[in-house]
Amino acid sequence: MDKLKFEVHVCEHCNLNCKGCYHFSPLAKEEFLDVVEWENDCKRLSILFDREMEFISLMGGEPLLHPKICDLLKITRKYFDIGDVSIITNGILLLDMDDDFWNTCRENNVTIRQTKYPIDIVFN
């Protein structure tokens, strides 16, 4: 059986207003993935895929806008202890994230993938 490769939009809206956004985030109302539903989905997927996955990417909109992003990361790792759990973010909010976020990422081996847009941000 193939390993799970999965992307989930944890929120619909974004903190940017990019022209040509394929997710239509500039038009989306504030809407967040329900934490209980995500846990139920992860539990079921982990059963179907024998807890094996290649990657699960949490994205949006802008995933760092989700007020329970740490809970979503912990739940994802709880059901899939091997494989890449990542957040795909525009990176603008990273410097504003609290210690709980950074500790959660470290403790759950979460990869942060930053997208690049033609705006005035210095990427290192």
Side-chain angles (χ1 to χ4, degrees):
M1 178 189 300
D2 287 332
K3 291 184 180 179
L4 178 66
K5 299 174 187 171
F6 191 76
E7 296 175 340
V8 60
H9 293 264
V10 301
C11 71
E12 297 300 321
H13 62 293
C14 185
N15 56 338
L16 292 178
N17 191 16
C18 299
K19 291 182 180 177
C21 175
Y22 74 93
H23 186 66
F24 301 103
S25 292
L27 304 174
K29 293 181 181 173
E30 189 174 289
E31 184 179 342
F32 301 105
L33 176 66
D34 182 85
V35 174
V36 173
E37 286 180 27
W38 179 239
E39 180 145 22
N40 291 338
D41 291 345
C42 282
K43 184 176 182 179
R44 182 67 180 136
L45 285 169
S46 72
I47 292 167
L48 292 173
F49 286 88
D50 295 323
R51 299 182 63 86
E52 293 186 21
M53 59 91 162
E54 187 170 328
F55 69 82
I56 297 177
S57 297
L58 282 65
M59 51 196 307
E62 173 50 50
L64 299 182
L65 292 171
H66 197 298
K68 301 284 186 178
I69 189 66
C70 291
D71 293 340
L72 298 174
L73 295 170
K74 291 173 188 175
I75 289 166
T76 306
R77 188 52 80 192
K78 173 182 172 182
Y79 291 99
F80 296 97
D81 37 359
I82 298 175
D84 182 44
V85 174
S86 66
I87 298 174
I88 300 175
T89 174
N90 61 38
I92 291 173
L93 300 175
L94 284 172
L95 294 177
D96 297 328
M97 300 308 287
D98 62 18
D99 288 343
D100 185 44
F101 171 78
W102 295 106
N103 290 333
T104 297
C105 288
R106 184 177 48 257
E107 291 165 4
N108 292 281
N109 195 25
V110 173
T111 303
I112 299 171
R113 301 188 193 289
Q114 186 175 356
T115 57
K116 293 185 179 182
Y117 294 94
I119 57 177
D120 191 22
I121 297 176
V122 176
F123 293 96
N124 293 327

